[in-house]
Amino acid sequence: MAGYRIGRRELLAGAATAALLPGALAAQGNKTGVDASTWTPDYINKLAGTAEYDTAAECAKVVPLDYKGRLTYWYWGVNQASTEIERKMEADFFAAFAKTYPNIELVKQNLDYNAMLDKLRTASIGKSAPMVARLPILWGSEFAAKGQLMAFGPNDVGYSEDEFWPGALKSVTWKGKRYGVPTNNETMAFIWNAALFKEAGLDPDKAPATWEDVVAYSKQIKEKTGKNGYGMVARVNAGNTPFRFMPQLWAFGGGALDEAEASPTYSKIMLNSPGAKAALQASYDMYVRDKSVPVSALTNTQTENQDPFIAGQLAMMISHPSEYALMIERARKATGADKQVADNVVANMRYGLIPRGPARRAVVFGGSNAHVFNPNIVEGGMDLQAVKAFVAFMTGPEWSIKLAWNISNPGNVRGFRTKWMRERLDTIRFLDVSTSMLPNGIPFPVLPQSAEIMNIIVPNMLQNTLTRKMTPDQAAENAAKELKALINDL
Amino acid sequence: MVRHRADYLYVAPAILVMGLVIAYPVWFTFYLSVFSTPPNLALEDKIFVGLDNYGRILGADSVREASLNTLVWTVASTGFAFVLGFGAALALNRPFRGRGLLRGTLLVPYVISAVAAAYVWRWLLHSDLGVISALAMASGLRSTPFNFLDNTDTVLASLIMVNVWKEFPFVMIMMLAGLQTVPDQLLRAAQVDGAGPWQRFWHITVPHLGNVSLVTILLLLAANFNGFTIPWVMTGGGPAGASEIWITQIYQLAFGRIRFGLASAYSVILFAVMMTMGYFYVRALVGKDRPS
């Protein structure tokens, strides 16, 4: 890893991204009152609570409030791991929609994240898709490429495209057409336990600045405290894996394709680039050489990191701002000696920016989009007016922030100006930190095979390295070969 | 034929339903297996590729690796489940106090949902937080946790152990039923003639259990070839493909990689293997009724 040098080409690409992004964001700011080119925790704080919006009035311009119709909607909503506030917001949302459009019958299905994609694929083939589905950012392009989605964008529900992040719009674009409306966008942050840092002789209030620091800190924590350092996640077929590994890959100058470059072509394979190999080597160093991360990383998702973190057995991890609320809830439920440990962990929880690498600081630009399915595969036929009413209601400034309360950010950037953003900032600790990562966000490749690349090829490459089935070099070359075959197969 | 025309009419609804729920999916799988279905194309835009999918499946390194895993998984699961189940049946065939309760208790793994069992075992065997490791460490037997599921050398054996736990009660029930058919007078006559317990078991009990054993083993082999739930829930075929078996690979190809054509070709190969086993199963069932 120490031998890795960032190439001139990679440096130029990173510089180009940095140069182009503020221009696009500044233009957006003139029209929405949200200037994302000056996106700092201070700016986010100043902006909050400066505007009010009337959701019903905005929706009425798209579809009359007395419209009578029927809507089918599938989504990935609250589950057993959700916080109380998430449950409340989701319940309030459906109640508010029913009140605003009392004559639209809403038939909804809350699906498990890991089962939803397969179910939608099967339903689409069987012509029994819902009218609307809210899908994670990675999934939409596959359905758009197959002609299973209807061309449908922000303009169809009365919103200007300037109200959404450019990266989010990119994720709903296929062959120049919009196939969805962004509902929420988020970037994760780096979380650490300050008490464990202190115990290991590290500065408790300073996050590792680089990925090389993460490797070194993880080793030091393991050696000095016996606890695991970094909460690596490397399970195949789990969305958590690419969300934690891709920032590392991009930071070292790698990528799956050229998605991290200013104008990605998605035809250049980067999995076997020196940057990708250096990122793999860093993971190898933590898992195999130093043994400073959980042994179970190969079968773990982020959920399995939560218990050791609250028990003070894990020092660092990458996650959402909601992780703090989750830890508070876990601490509240703890009893006896566990309660004391958990309270201590919550008090010592810190958030920082995800570390830089030799090429850049990067994070996955995540989120979800509302998509409308092609009428010829929708079960029971399409009610486009009901669809427009619902999507307008969900993606406006009010509900795009409320539904994202402690897990994400509003897809509609006007949401940042609302009083609810003020309330979030006042009640959700560290929200400003994770929100300020947004300009470093890189979306996954907008390709129909993105889910396969991110959920199978990339985690397999990681597993081949961590199990020593292959060297980092061999694993990277093997993954690149597989990716090439995948691209050529289309 | 003419005389029995009405009979055909009576069975027609059943034939129709079987055609719809069995024949059509089988035919469609065969049909799809000669098409390429890349993820950027809708199913109706599939491309005809002839037998190319079969060539790709049979030539893939990962399939060879999974084939070996499938063989080990199927044979070991079947063998250990049979031995354990047979042993339990022999023990429970003799009357003793609390036999009913013990029979009921031993049936628990069989009646528990496979998904629930897989999740429970995933936590029991977890490499960092597993209960088994915690107990071993608390009792001083180990200083570090066991690495059951995150190690390419131990993962398949761990899954087989869970599968045996889940399946042995089935063998137990089958063999208990078989043991009831062993003629008591024959056993007593042998005892009178001076045959010891081992001789009675080997020369009387075992021959009488031949058919039920064969049927049980064939059913177990078929179930294990298709044993998807435990490996998928516990490891997803990992780490690094070390617990990948045919059926998990087929699922991954179809729903993870959206290659319905390739997955169909793979399924047809599995179907051929299963049909061969089915043939022997039917022969075992029918054979005993044939006059010698």
Side-chain angles (χ1 to χ4, degrees), chain A residues 118 121 237 296 463 482 486, chain B residues 128 240 251 255 257-259:
Chain A
D118 291 351
R121 282 166 174 165
N237 269 317
S296 52
Q463 290 212 343
E482 207 180 330
L486 177 69
Chain B
D128 286 298
Y251 181 85
F255 298 104
R257 295 179 181 256
I258 325 299
R259 300 297 194 285

Side-chain angles (χ1 to χ4, degrees), chain A residues 245-256 271 275-276 279-280 360 458 461:
Chain A
F245 183 64
M246 291 310 289
Q248 188 180 331
L249 198 69
W250 290 323
F252 277 99
L271 275 180
L280 270 180
R360 58 177 75 84
V458 168
M461 172 177 79

